[in-house]
Amino acid sequence: MPFEDVVLKGLASDGGLFISEEIPSLPNNWTERWRHLPFADLAYEVLSLYISPSEIPASDLKSIIDRSYSTFRHPSIAPLYPLAPSQNLQLLELFHGPTFAFKDVALQFLGNLFEYFLVRRNASDTRSRHHLTVIGATSGDTGSAAIYGLRGKKDVSVFILHPKGRVSPIQEAQMTTVLDANVHNLAVEGTFDDCQDMVKALFADPETNAVHNLGAVNSINWARILAQITYYFHAYFSLINSSSFKSGDKIRFVVPTGNFGDVLAGYFAKQMGLPVEKLVVATNENDILDRFWKSGWYEKKPVHGEAAKGGLASDGAKAHEDGARETLSPAMDILVSSNFERLLWFLVYQGSHADTVQLRREEAGQQVKSWLNELKNSGGFGVSPEILQAAKVDFESECISDITTIETIKDFYNASSQPDMTQSNGNGDRNYLTNGQSSQKAKYILDPHSAIGVAASLLSLIRAPPPSTHHISLATAHPAKFASAVQLALGENESFDFEKEVLPTEFVGLEKKERRVRVVGKGEGLEGMRRIIGEEVKAETQR
């Protein structure tokens, strides 16, 4: 299937996920050719291995990439920070995009891809107007990143449903203060599951698809995985170009993840030839992935009532799917990981003994379909010892509790370095981290998701210690995005000042800005949603 169709469809017609027919190998002398490239140029080199110039000419792809990363506040896009130099622990900061979350890296690119393909279609087809209606449900983080990626794009309307009163105030403000005509925020009276059910009903409805040509931006869109591959290469080069890296040293990436998309991008980078010893999957107490690597069983374990309660409502802990445990890291509160089936496909494919590539592909597809049917009907499935062993070649895993998350945030804030926390770094962010290095740790304020990655890194360090091994832990959100968890961890410290040390200038006064949001009753159903979308698209053309 052409790359353009994969991007615009998002999901296969049978409900499956798209993957690349082949994982490309790196070109000769790639290390020397790429090691000093800025992020956008490196992204062009990586993405060109997947996207043929017959689908997007080289100059157009370069332009799309340059526009996508011109919106980032840091000149390096994703800088590498020495968090604990004596332990060879680095932090990859992925939160310097417009919404202060790692999802900007992919969604800024995806938004520009959507616009490029639609404008090109309309230029070549004067008989009809091609228009895409993107619809998604969010617990907060994905919604704001999708809106900022799609705002103002030609021939694209974006509808984001969030559970009214259940997302964090900062995330709600980020979404609803975007007033571009093509952006439509819908606050659903109900739960995140109600939002998901409405979205699923719309995608399953032939009439809605025929009229509005629906598209998806959640983590199952292949282009989002593709865009994230770049920052693994960027982090690798940042490390090997530093004085702390010696020839022969090993590298581990540690990734806090729920839906598995972020770490899956690392898997593709490793399969391409990036020299990564291990990818460490770091989960919160919603630990379906950790349990898989420990046992070979991929099994839902839903919790309800008092057993499910936790986290902080003010950080969006109530905006999760039914059966997930509420934690201090709500963006990872999931029952199943939507991208995990992509890894399963490759594990079966690579272990198949079938005679031809096509037979191996069919075998992998049939096996994954069988497993997913077991998951749907029985709540879980087990894989063979051979498949589990294959999964352990590239991955390890850790589960991190809320208690450990809080302790990790405290530990790195109370580290020995004491920088001036009131200075600007010149890129629109407060300088909430030190510019120097201590012999042990640098004083740093972690958000709860990034803290899970750091806590998992410290456990991995026991198995793979310095000086011969380096750990790169992914920081997926700015601490201001989850202010209540940071306040819970550090509020008793008399020296802690949230506004001076954490709050970005972009967030100051955000809650007072003009908003546009439409409330959707829980009982609207499919007919109601059809009517609402029709009314909003009509109003969009008149703004």
Side-chain angles (χ1 to χ4, degrees):
M1 179 176 286
F3 179 66
E4 178 176 339
D5 292 343
V6 167
V7 172
L8 294 178
K9 284 176 67 68
L11 189 68
S13 56
D14 63 356
L17 305 184
F18 294 114
I19 52 175
S20 177
E21 284 191 346
E22 295 180 354
I23 299 177
S25 298
L26 296 173
N28 293 332
N29 302 319
W30 64 275
T31 304
E32 294 308 312
R33 288 172 51 195
W34 295 0
R35 67 183 300 164
H36 297 298
L37 292 179
F39 190 94
D41 292 345
L42 181 59
Y44 171 77
E45 296 293 341
V46 172
L47 297 178
S48 293
L49 299 178
Y50 288 89
I51 304 170
S52 167
S54 65
E55 298 206 73
I56 302 180
S59 59
D60 290 355
L61 180 59
K62 186 72 169 61
S63 176
I64 290 169
I65 292 169
D66 288 343
R67 289 199 309 275
S68 299
Y69 300 118
S70 67
T71 60
F72 281 64
R73 300 179 308 281
H74 197 287
S76 296
I77 310 301
L80 197 64
Y81 180 76
L83 189 65
S86 66
Q87 296 173 298
N88 284 348
L89 174 55
Q90 314 281 331
L91 198 67
L92 179 60
E93 293 184 338
L94 297 172
F95 49 73
H96 293 288
T99 72
F100 294 75
F102 83 98
K103 295 175 183 180
D104 290 324
V105 177
L107 284 165
Q108 288 292 301
F109 176 66
L110 182 58
N112 284 315
L113 272 183
F114 280 157
E115 182 179 53
Y116 174 81
F117 287 137
L118 290 166
V119 169
R120 185 170 70 177
R121 285 187 177 189
N122 287 324
S124 62
D125 184 358
T126 57
R127 295 169 299 175
S128 60
R129 190 79 184 168
H130 294 272
H131 183 275
L132 186 69
T133 302
V134 173
I135 298 180
T138 186
S139 59
D141 234 15
T142 297
S144 56
I147 285 169
Y148 276 72
L150 294 170
R151 63 184 304 182
K153 301 302 182 189
K154 296 177 183 177
D155 301 314
V156 183
S157 299
V158 54
F159 288 81
I160 298 296
L161 286 69
H162 70 268
K164 185 172 183 271
R166 291 175 178 249
V167 300
S168 74
I170 191 66
Q171 290 172 331
E172 182 180 351
Q174 280 189 309
M175 291 188 289
T176 59
T177 57
V178 177
L179 305 180
D180 296 68
N182 71 322
V183 173
H184 309 273
N185 279 286
L186 303 179
V188 176
E189 293 179 332
T191 65
F192 177 67
D193 279 352
D194 294 318
C195 299
Q196 287 275 53
D197 289 344
M198 288 180 175
V199 170
K200 289 175 182 177
L202 289 166
F203 274 97
D205 178 43
E207 180 180 330
T208 303
N209 275 276
V211 173
H212 295 291
N213 187 26
L214 302 186
V217 291
N218 58 8
S219 63
I220 60 173
N221 193 301
W222 167 242
R224 280 189 58 176
I225 306 296
L226 192 60
Q228 292 175 130
I229 296 173
T230 299
Y231 53 68
Y232 286 90
F233 283 89
H234 179 73
Y236 169 77
F237 287 126
S238 296
L239 179 59
I240 69 168
N241 288 336
S242 71
S243 59
S244 65
F245 188 86
K246 309 301 180 187
S247 178
D249 284 0
K250 298 175 182 178
I251 301 174
R252 288 182 164 214
F253 281 91
V254 186
V255 188
T257 189
N259 279 318
F260 202 72
D262 201 1
V263 72
L264 183 66
Y267 172 77
F268 283 114
K270 190 173 188 298
Q271 293 295 303
M272 290 169 70
L274 188 68
V276 177
E277 187 205 19
K278 290 287 183 184
L279 296 159
V280 182
V281 175
T283 77
N284 65 15
E285 293 170 33
N286 294 286
D287 61 348
I288 187 171
L289 291 170
D290 182 58
R291 285 185 279 113
F292 171 81
W293 262 279
K294 298 291 196 297
S295 68
W297 279 90
Y298 188 75
E299 183 180 17
K300 294 180 186 179
K301 285 193 174 180
V303 291
H304 303 281
E306 290 298 319
K309 290 183 179 179
L312 298 165
S314 53
D315 275 352
K318 301 298 179 184
H320 61 82
E321 63 181 310
D322 185 45
R325 186 185 303 277
E326 297 169 359
T327 74
L328 296 174
S329 47
M332 295 160 59
D333 289 351
I334 51 89
L335 266 183
V336 297
S337 295
S338 56
N339 279 290
F340 187 60
E341 61 192 78
R342 282 181 161 128
L343 174 65
L344 291 174
W345 189 94
F346 278 102
L347 293 177
V348 178
Y349 173 79
Q350 291 170 352
S352 172
H353 299 292
D355 293 334
T356 67
V357 169
Q358 184 59 35
L359 287 175
R360 291 196 292 272
R361 289 174 177 171
E362 291 175 0
E363 179 184 336
Q366 291 167 1
Q367 179 62 76
V368 171
K369 183 177 181 180
S370 175
W371 281 331
L372 294 181
N373 284 335
E374 285 187 63
L375 180 67
K376 180 179 179 180
N377 298 325
S378 304
F381 60 85
V383 301
S384 68
E386 292 77 16
I387 292 294
L388 179 59
Q389 188 56 43
K392 289 182 175 182
V393 170
D394 296 313
F395 294 91
E396 290 180 2
S397 70
E398 297 290 351
C399 171
I400 305 300
S401 69
D402 275 354
I403 292 174
T404 301
T405 299
I406 289 295
E407 290 303 314
T408 303
I409 296 173
K410 288 181 178 179
D411 185 38
F412 280 86
Y413 181 75
N414 293 323
S416 57
S417 294
Q418 299 294 331
D420 178 358
M421 306 298 283
T422 64
Q423 301 300 310
S424 168
N425 65 10
N427 297 302
D429 293 329
R430 298 294 178 93
N431 187 19
Y432 56 87
L433 48 85
T434 178
N435 290 321
Q437 297 181 12
S438 69
S439 61
Q440 297 298 321
K441 300 187 187 77
K443 182 173 181 178
Y444 195 100
I445 300 175
L446 296 159
D447 96 284
H449 306 79
S450 304
I452 285 174
V454 171
S457 297
L458 296 177
L459 293 172
S460 178
L461 275 162
I462 298 171
R463 299 187 296 273
S468 61
T469 302
H470 298 257
H471 283 74
I472 298 175
S473 186
L474 274 56
T476 55
H478 190 286
K481 296 272 292 194
F482 299 93
S484 295
V486 172
Q487 191 67 39
L488 177 66
L490 304 179
E492 294 181 358
N493 191 313
E494 292 182 359
S495 68
F496 176 63
D497 188 324
F498 181 84
E499 290 192 3
K500 287 184 177 181
E501 298 181 58
V502 179
L503 190 66
T505 55
E506 292 88 343
F507 285 11
V508 176
L510 187 62
E511 72 281 357
K512 297 178 182 178
K513 288 186 176 181
E514 180 185 354
R515 302 187 184 206
R516 192 176 77 244
V517 59
R518 179 168 180 168
V519 177
V520 178
K522 186 176 180 179
E524 285 287 358
L526 181 59
E527 287 299 326
M529 286 302 300
R530 280 181 186 159
R531 172 180 53 79
I532 289 168
I533 291 172
E535 291 171 355
E536 288 290 316
V537 170
K538 182 178 180 181
E540 175 184 329
T541 62
Q542 298 172 351
R543 290 190 180 111

